[in-house]
Amino acid sequence: MLDDYLVRALLAGIGMALVAGPLGCFIVWRRLAYFGETLAHAALLGVALAFLLEVNVTFAVFAVAALIAVALLAMERRAGLAADSLLGILSHSSLALGIIVMSAMTWLRVDLMGLLFGDILSVSRLDIALIWAGGLAVLAVLALIWRGLFATTVSPELAAGEGVSTDRVNTVFMLLMAVVIAIAIKIVGVLLITAMLIIPAATARRFARSPEQMALLAAVFGVLAVSSGLAASRLWDPPSGPAIVVAALALFLISLTPLPGRLNPARRRAPQIPDHADAGEEQ
């Protein structure tokens, strides 16, 4: 069965969606879209270093993304700059370094389209195993820190007062983000990773009544986006990665349509997550 490239692509995409959905909820709640974009840009530097040092691409991307996340925490304490300013510095610097390293390897021929937008149709059995193993590990850790991470998202001060180690929880969350970006880069590419973290979660928020329900629905919408995007790619031959993201966008736009009766998202109460800036900048 795994000899069919479409089956392999579907399994890989579902594995990514199941983990990206719940994690993306915290990105939406904390207003950390720019942080996700920063790690995605750092992924390009990871890919360049992987080719230069001849190491595994997934491992290199995770190492660089994790380093960027830790650097952000360290710089916040010492630089005296706002988080968005630091993210801008790290994002563009890592992207520029990645391009410089790539351009220095004149002997290397890289599929830039596949790197930037993903190539889910080329995933191997090893890629599927890595995606599912990494995804299950991320979900397991997320379940363990869910209560503390959610409390920190709502109010870092109250969470600290209840004995939650906010620094440790935030560090673990950032490392989980690095893992997801490392395993997702081959599927949707550097430029589209953040979209798959944010759009299904934003769609789920329209329907969810609790944070846990929102995480579950985000995973479901992610799976639907992957399935629809691959089907569209098979029928009309657009690039698979962008097709998946456009399918996710279509689901989000449909969620904005008023529906009659109890199905109307406007009549449901959204998860009680604060939207103030502190929740997104407490990193």
Side-chain angles (χ1 to χ4, degrees):
M1 182 179 69
L2 292 181
D3 291 334
D4 190 330
Y5 70 96
L6 278 177
V7 174
R8 292 197 302 271
L10 185 61
L11 288 175
I14 289 174
M16 178 202 68
L18 290 178
V19 64
L23 200 63
C25 291
F26 284 98
I27 296 176
V28 170
W29 293 334
R30 292 178 167 217
R31 297 184 177 182
L32 287 179
Y34 198 14
F35 174 68
E37 198 70 32
T38 299
L39 293 190
H41 287 172
L44 181 63
L45 176 59
V47 172
L49 292 176
F51 287 127
L52 180 64
L53 303 175
E54 297 183 352
V55 297
N56 180 268
V57 173
T58 301
F59 173 78
V61 170
F62 167 74
V64 172
L67 182 63
I68 292 295
V70 173
L72 174 63
L73 289 174
M75 291 173 68
E76 273 190 317
R77 297 190 180 102
R78 298 184 181 182
L81 293 174
D84 59 341
S85 299
L86 293 174
L87 286 172
I89 294 172
L90 292 172
S91 174
H92 301 301
S93 299
S94 59
L95 181 61
L97 283 172
I99 294 174
I100 289 174
V101 174
M102 283 280 193
S103 63
M105 294 183 288
T106 56
W107 66 90
L108 184 65
R109 294 294 179 265
V110 180
D111 179 12
L112 287 178
M113 287 294 291
L115 182 61
L116 295 177
F117 300 105
D119 190 10
I120 191 173
L121 297 179
S122 68
V123 293
S124 63
R125 297 185 183 188
L126 179 61
D127 292 327
I128 295 173
L130 188 63
I131 290 168
W132 278 88
L136 290 174
V138 168
L139 290 177
V141 175
L142 184 62
L144 288 175
I145 68 169
W146 178 276
R147 187 178 298 273
L149 183 60
F150 184 76
T152 304
T153 301
V154 174
S155 173
E157 295 78 12
L158 291 178
E162 293 177 357
V164 176
S165 177
T166 56
D167 287 342
R168 184 181 65 183
V169 167
N170 288 331
T171 301
V172 173
F173 172 70
M174 290 181 173
L175 292 178
L176 293 181
M177 283 272 294
V179 172
V180 171
I181 287 174
I183 64 178
I185 187 172
K186 190 167 186 177
I187 298 177
V188 290
V190 171
L191 298 181
L192 303 180
I193 290 174
T194 311
M196 284 306 297
L197 286 166
I198 296 174
I199 298 177
T203 305
R205 187 165 190 170
R206 294 278 297 165
F207 297 94
R209 293 181 175 178
S210 69
E212 292 79 10
Q213 190 180 74
M214 179 172 164
L216 179 61
L217 287 175
V220 172
F221 284 122
V223 171
L224 288 175
V226 168
S227 304
S228 303
L230 286 176
S233 181
R234 178 67 181 271
L235 291 173
W236 299 297
D237 202 31
S240 301
I244 291 172
V245 176
V246 170
L249 173 63
L251 290 173
F252 174 72
L253 294 177
I254 291 172
S255 75
L256 299 179
T257 304
L259 298 175
R262 297 177 62 185
L263 292 177
N264 190 350
R267 297 192 178 186
R268 294 178 179 267
R269 295 183 61 191
Q272 298 303 304
I273 306 297
D275 286 330
H276 54 74
D278 291 342
E281 297 180 358
E282 47 78 27
Q283 305 290 349

